[in-house]
């Protein structure tokens, strides 16, 4: 029988994480999640894989104030589980701040996804940059001279200049942003 998910109360350094099965109906997407969950060939392949092997990598979730759990990483796995007819999925429950969630979510998606639209990258980079700024990396760190945009670039395949270009896309009206995604 699936284990009931309970938030872990111990300090992070002492936490022992475990995989628990959580009902899909108790899982909610992260607010302002910049990555789309598309019904495309990649999703159809993922659904077939889930039907064949199940979910091989547990999603990461955090407890929600109103009950249930908010997805940190695993939005596509959740959709694939739903389409495969599963009622629950394996998850790791972590207590995380909004900034920690944003950093984990953007890094996970930017590394894992095969196809990322320019708008998805733009909003992901902006969210990550803002989260890093909230953590106090906006000014130069002692001895490292590391700016937040440098940190975002360091964690990606894009240069600082390219990241700035992507972030500028977030200022476009939705119709123009859609045209960029459609390569028009």
């Amino acid at each position: 029988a699936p284990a009931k998910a309970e938030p872990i109360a111990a300090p992070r350094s002492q936490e022992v994480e475990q995989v628990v099965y959580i009902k899909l109906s108790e899982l909610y997407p992260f607010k302002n999640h910049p990555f789309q969950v598309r019904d495309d060939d990649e999703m159809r392949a993922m659904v077939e894989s889930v039907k064949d092997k199940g979910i091989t990598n547990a999603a990461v979730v955090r407890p929600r104030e109103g009950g249930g759990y908010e997805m940190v990483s695993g939005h596509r796995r959740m959709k694939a589980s739903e389409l495969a007819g599963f009622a629950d999925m394996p998850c790791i429950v972590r207590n995380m701040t909004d900034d920690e969630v944003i950093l984990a979510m953007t890094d996970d998606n930017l590394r894992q996804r095969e196809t990322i639209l320019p708008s998805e990258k733009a909003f992901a980079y902006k969210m990550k940059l803002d989260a890093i700024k909230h953590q106090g990396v906006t000014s130069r760190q002692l001895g490292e001279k590391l700016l937040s945009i440098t940190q975002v670039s360091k964690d990606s395949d894009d240069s600082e200049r390219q990241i700035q270009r992507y972030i500028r896309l977030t200022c476009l009206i939705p119709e123009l942003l859609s045209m960029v995604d459609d390569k028009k």
Side-chain angles (χ1 to χ4, degrees):
K4 174 113 174 91
E6 292 295 330
I8 301 170
R12 184 173 309 273
S13 61
Q14 298 173 9
E15 285 181 7
V16 176
E17 293 186 332
Q18 57 185 335
V19 174
V20 293
Y21 283 81
I22 299 176
K23 290 182 179 28
L24 298 179
S25 62
E26 293 181 32
L27 299 174
Y28 298 87
F30 181 74
K31 59 187 172 290
N32 301 320
H33 188 258
F35 299 96
Q36 299 173 18
V37 177
R38 293 184 285 277
D39 187 13
D40 56 10
D41 290 339
E42 272 184 55
M43 178 56 70
R44 285 184 279 286
M46 183 179 269
V47 169
E48 289 308 311
S49 174
V50 167
K51 284 179 180 176
D52 185 41
K53 300 175 191 148
I55 298 292
T56 56
N57 280 341
V60 177
V61 299
R62 71 174 178 174
R64 283 180 69 216
E65 266 186 45
Y69 300 88
E70 187 173 42
M71 296 295 295
V72 174
S73 67
H75 292 80
R76 290 186 322 141
R77 285 170 274 170
M78 183 175 92
K79 183 65 175 178
S81 294
E82 179 184 310
L83 293 172
F86 290 16
D88 57 20
M89 70 180 284
C91 299
I92 295 170
V93 179
R94 288 187 186 149
N95 292 309
M96 301 172 79
T97 67
D98 284 350
D99 289 338
E100 289 171 330
V101 169
I102 289 168
L103 294 174
M105 174 195 49
T106 55
D107 286 346
D108 183 55
N109 279 283
L110 290 169
R111 270 194 316 270
Q112 303 271 338
R113 290 195 177 215
E114 292 177 31
T115 306
I116 301 175
L117 297 174
S119 63
E120 293 174 325
K121 260 191 177 184
F123 285 103
Y125 282 149
K126 184 172 184 349
M127 288 176 79
K128 184 172 181 173
L129 184 63
D130 290 344
I132 289 172
K133 286 179 180 179
H134 291 152
Q135 294 182 338
V137 188
T138 52
S139 58
R140 295 183 185 272
Q141 289 182 342
L142 296 174
E144 291 182 34
K145 294 186 178 178
L146 182 65
L147 296 174
S148 48
I149 193 78
T150 305
Q151 182 62 46
V152 174
S153 173
K154 188 176 170 186
D155 295 340
S156 77
D157 292 333
D158 292 315
S159 69
E160 290 177 32
R161 191 79 184 117
Q162 186 62 34
I163 288 168
Q164 289 170 333
R165 288 184 192 110
Y166 274 116
I167 291 172
R168 273 191 247 135
L169 293 176
T170 64
C171 298
L172 293 176
I173 61 171
E175 292 81 11
L176 289 176
L177 192 55
S178 180
M179 289 174 72
V180 171
D181 284 343
D182 293 339
K183 298 179 182 176
K184 295 180 182 176

